Amino acid sequence: MAREFTSIGVVGLGTMGAGIVEVLARNGLDVVAVEVTDAALDRGRGHLTGSTDRAVARGKLSEADRDALLGRVTFAVGLDSLADVDLVIEAVPEHLDLKQRIFADLDKVCKPAAILATNTSSLSVTEISVATTRPDQVVGMHFFNPAPIMKLVEIVKSVVTAPDVVADVEALCARLGKVDVTINDRAGFIANALLFGYLNHAVTMVEGHYATREDIDAAMKLGCGLPMGPLALMDLIGLDTAYEILDTMYRRGGRDRRHAPAPLLKQMVTAGLLGRKSGRGFYTYEKPGSPVVIADELTPAATDPAATTADIHRKIRKVGVIGSGTMAAGILEVLARGGYDVVSITRGAERSARLAESVRTSLTKAVIRGKLEESERDAALERVNWSAALDDLADVDLVIEAVVEELSVKTALFSSLDEICKPGTILATTTSSLPVIECAMATGRPADIIGLHFFNPAPVMGLVEVVHTIRTSPETVATARALVESLGKHSVVCADRAGFVVNALLFPYLNDAVRMVEASYSSADDIDYAMKLGCGYPMGPFELLDVIGLDVSLAIQRELYLEMREPGFAPAPLLEQLVTAGYLGKKVGRGFRDYR
Ligand SMILES: NC(=O)c1ccc[n+]([C@@H]2O[C@H](COP(=O)([O-])OP(=O)(O)OC[C@H]3O[C@@H](n4cnc5c(N)ncnc54)[C@H](O)[C@@H]3O)[C@@H](O)[C@H]2O)c1
């Protein structure tokens, strides 16, 4: 029989502690909430009342329930008031010496049977536990931010944690409506070990002016369906906390350079830019603690969308699309629906006929789903000219090529286009991994060459990465961006580096997940759970790998590794083996999971 917890102490009422108090009190538990000073206690109480008031305003909590919830919480300064609780959850800043001191004190104050839990994200639960005389009753309870919303709790057991303590804490999580995964004591556990390399990488992108904060965040939201971009998430976590987590993971997790905190983070923390809690981090907030972003000096000036669309239609009327695969079909459908005249070029009449059929089918589906009028479908199809002769591109204003992902094929094509197309025509490649500059230098007009990286399926995905080389003119970038916006899609601008924004941030994370399974730290199922329930990702990494295809993922990861030479980017041997074995994912019925 699991032990019954009636009263629980929470130490530290910051970002996490206040949220944990709310979760406990909401589920009928008495809570003793402890801070270090009266001022900190008032702040902590403010977090709790602010959050519960918002829940009332949104109709998620009745006023009576809020009052009952708050009535279950006793606030106190100092640890002495924790003498009678059954469990303490510690959520003070991420410093080992501070946590060890607090656990030594808790050990003295709390009754012998009490369980002592830490919410640490990266420190060793074992090292914290040995500061007490009851290390077998010490456990990690890693909640996710915001604690009242995120469903996951990682329960971390050390080698000496008693099995009944783990079982009791698991039962408590179930009572709180949380889903737990129980794991051993390793830096970053599951979710943070996979998350923080990615977050730190995004910070280095801002630091290196590779792309703007808005573009990086939009890329990950629209390209991967994440609930927040990495920089907004850093602000939510708190930059001081994020710094400490990275620093600990670097030291405990094998000195992986990807976890060495980006220098910019240290500067921001020193300058007091801690994220939402201080009112300013990567973004600026209405006031400290507020989730509302306000404009600052880095906010891009708003453009008038109506004017942009009119301007771009004056400048770009006719677009060539080369290729007959999935991407070419999607892109020409999007362009034709967007009102552009399109010249489709394939390698023969038969291919053109098949392509025309697939575009018609796709548009008809949109009609059936009520997204398009029949007349609009017919008008869109009328706008496309089907051809097998590159010479038909002589008078187009823009060409987008979506042919096979082979550099020699693309450079030869760009060289021909340079001869055929009128001066001023912009030539774009949809490559997802090859250097755009190679295409540019195959022509005599490198200022007019750009990457337009659409996502699959192009008619559905709202993102296009606009990739400029060191030779692309600002005018070409502006035109490409306006074209993308006129198609109702969001453009993010980035420099010409392997993986651009989305793939460079996504694939190393997927590769790390494979390494975690390879190291037998956790299972594919638990990792998928952790990322979905702890971080709100729409799919876990293994679900996603199976959908993308393991061969495609391996190829992208290889490109990233070859260009960056970052040891942490080396493809996981397990990924290579699965590809060799022909387990390529859903498309063949078997990848990380068996679909047959
Ligand atoms: N921020 C996140 O997204 C997140 C997510 C999961 C876990 N965590 C972990 O939770 C813990 C707390 O992080 P946070 O982001 O809430 O930090 P925070 O800085 O927002 O809050 C820490 C609180 O602890 C209080 N405190 C400091 N010393 C104390 C003491 N001796 N006694 C009582 N209270 C004391 C501070 O006054 C502050 O209110 C860390 O271990 C962190 O790694 C954070």
Side-chain angles (χ1 to χ4, degrees):
M1 255 276 284
R3 92 174 72 189
E4 191 56 36
F5 294 102
T6 47
S7 170
I8 297 183
V10 175
V11 182
L13 306 178
T15 308
M16 290 309 293
I20 295 170
V21 169
E22 183 177 336
V23 173
L24 297 169
R26 210 175 229 236
N27 286 283
L29 289 150
D30 289 330
V31 186
V32 182
V34 169
E35 259 291 352
V36 69
T37 59
D38 284 323
L41 196 63
D42 282 346
R43 250 196 333 267
R45 194 186 280 119
H47 286 319
L48 182 64
T49 48
S51 171
T52 46
D53 285 351
R54 279 197 297 277
V56 170
R58 284 201 303 266
K60 305 244 157 142
L61 189 69
S62 72
E63 281 190 29
D65 285 347
R66 176 200 47 202
D67 296 345
L69 185 165
L70 295 176
R72 280 184 214 110
V73 185
T74 315
F75 292 91
V77 171
L79 303 178
D80 290 341
S81 43
L82 299 171
D84 295 328
V85 300
D86 307 309
L87 163 73
V88 178
I89 303 174
E90 162 280 312
V92 304
E94 189 79 344
H95 299 292
L96 183 60
D97 50 350
L98 172 65
K99 294 202 191 250
Q100 284 182 323
R101 220 168 43 239
I102 286 179
F103 271 71
D105 290 346
L106 287 171
D107 190 34
K108 291 189 197 109
V109 168
C110 296
K111 60 188 184 192
I115 294 175
L116 307 180
T118 172
N119 184 48
T120 183
S121 311
S122 58
L123 294 167
S124 161
V125 176
T126 317
E127 283 183 54
I128 294 171
S129 75
V130 295
T132 73
T133 59
R134 55 178 108 181
D136 56 331
Q137 279 161 243
V138 176
V139 70
M141 281 186 85
H142 184 230
F143 287 80
F144 287 75
N145 187 2
I149 294 173
M150 303 314 285
K151 278 252 170 272
L152 184 74
V153 179
E154 288 174 326
I155 296 177
V156 186
K157 58 179 173 26
S158 78
V159 282
V160 293
T161 310
D164 63 308
V165 168
V166 174
D168 292 344
V169 170
E170 285 172 346
L172 173 67
C173 287
R175 175 171 171 194
L176 299 175
K178 301 286 183 198
V179 175
D180 63 84
V181 292
T182 300
I183 41 186
N184 295 326
D185 187 14
R186 200 175 100 164
F189 316 129
I190 296 177
N192 283 354
L194 297 179
L195 189 65
F196 272 78
Y198 148 71
L199 294 178
N200 201 37
H201 191 178
V203 176
T204 62
M205 283 182 169
V206 173
E207 189 169 36
H209 302 287
Y210 178 64
T212 63
R213 61 184 186 189
E214 282 87 0
D215 277 0
I216 293 170
D217 279 349
M220 296 314 285
K221 276 166 57 179
L222 297 170
C224 303
L226 304 189
M228 300 180 94
L231 302 162
L233 179 55
M234 275 295 215
D235 277 357
L236 175 69
I237 292 169
L239 270 50
D240 48 346
T241 302
Y243 179 89
E244 294 301 333
I245 293 173
L246 280 165
D247 194 48
T248 311
M249 284 183 45
Y250 177 73
R251 284 186 282 107
R252 280 187 73 203
R255 302 197 175 256
D256 185 334
R257 282 205 317 236
R258 293 175 303 154
H259 294 140
L264 177 62
L265 267 182
K266 180 83 189 175
Q267 287 171 34
M268 292 177 75
V269 171
T270 309
L273 310 178
L274 306 184
R276 273 192 200 183
K277 62 182 161 192
S278 72
R280 172 120 203 203
F282 286 100
Y283 295 91
T284 303
Y285 299 86
E286 213 173 27
K287 57 178 194 279
S290 162
V292 180
V293 174
I294 56 168
D296 59 23
E297 71 283 0
L298 296 177
T299 306
T303 45
D304 177 356
T308 333
T309 304
D311 291 349
I312 194 70
H313 276 108
R314 261 196 306 279
K315 211 162 171 184
I316 306 262
R317 291 204 178 134
K318 201 167 176 187
V319 183
V321 177
I322 310 175
S324 48
T326 314
M327 289 315 287
I331 292 167
L332 67 87
E333 175 181 334
V334 169
L335 288 163
R337 273 180 78 168
Y340 293 93
D341 289 333
V342 182
V343 183
S344 158
I345 307 288
T346 72
R347 279 174 297 159
E350 216 176 284
R351 280 197 168 86
S352 287
R354 249 182 289 140
L355 181 60
E357 199 40 51
S358 93
V359 173
R360 167 177 283 280
T361 308
S362 175
L363 286 169
T364 303
K365 274 192 198 144
V367 173
I368 292 168
R369 281 200 303 267
K371 306 240 160 158
L372 197 70
E373 296 291 323
E374 240 173 81
S375 58
E376 288 170 324
R377 173 196 64 192
D378 297 343
L381 286 167
E382 288 261 303
R383 279 186 212 110
V384 187
N385 275 307
W386 309 94
S387 159
L390 273 187
D391 287 340
D392 286 343
L393 296 176
D395 66 341
V396 300
D397 306 304
L398 166 78
V399 178
I400 303 176
E401 72 74 19
V403 304
V404 65
E405 189 80 340
E406 253 173 59
L407 190 57
S408 57
V409 177
K410 299 224 190 237
T411 49
L413 180 61
F414 271 81
S415 163
S416 307
L417 290 172
D418 190 30
E419 278 168 28
I420 293 166
C421 298
K422 67 184 185 197
T425 298
I426 294 176
L427 307 179
T429 170
T430 54
T431 181
S432 40
S433 62
L434 300 171
V436 180
I437 189 71
E438 297 273 4
C439 300
M441 298 317 288
T443 73
R445 55 173 103 186
D448 300 337
I449 313 306
I450 198 156
L452 283 177
H453 185 222
F454 284 79
F455 287 73
N456 189 17
V460 177
M461 298 297 285
L463 181 73
V464 179
E465 287 172 319
V466 174
V467 186
H468 64 85
T469 75
I470 47 171
R471 299 288 299 268
T472 310
S473 73
E475 195 195 343
T476 302
V477 175
T479 307
R481 202 161 197 179
L483 172 97
V484 170
E485 303 286 334
S486 78
L487 297 171
K489 303 211 179 283
H490 192 88
S491 62
V492 303
V493 175
C494 65
D496 183 22
R497 246 169 39 189
F500 312 134
V501 176
V502 173
N503 287 354
L505 290 176
L506 178 67
F507 282 89
Y509 143 76
L510 297 175
N511 193 50
D512 286 346
V514 179
R515 280 183 189 280
M516 195 175 263
V517 164
E518 197 171 54
S520 302
Y521 180 62
S522 186
S523 65
D525 287 348
D526 275 358
I527 296 172
D528 276 354
Y529 260 136
M531 296 316 290
K532 286 195 287 189
L533 301 177
C535 305
Y537 281 25
M539 293 171 109
F542 296 98
E543 284 173 277
L544 189 55
L545 280 161
D546 277 355
V547 169
I548 295 171
L550 272 55
D551 49 342
V552 175
S553 305
L554 178 61
I556 294 175
Q557 190 60 26
R558 276 200 185 125
E559 287 293 336
L560 290 172
Y561 179 53
L562 281 178
E563 184 163 305
M564 317 285 190
R565 306 294 165 109
E566 170 57 62
F569 285 177
L574 177 60
L575 185 60
E576 310 230 20
Q577 286 158 17
L578 288 165
V579 172
T580 308
Y583 295 170
L584 305 184
K586 260 193 165 157
K587 60 188 168 189
V588 298
R590 172 136 198 199
F592 281 95
R593 297 198 171 91
D594 197 339
Y595 302 90
R596 291 163 302 171

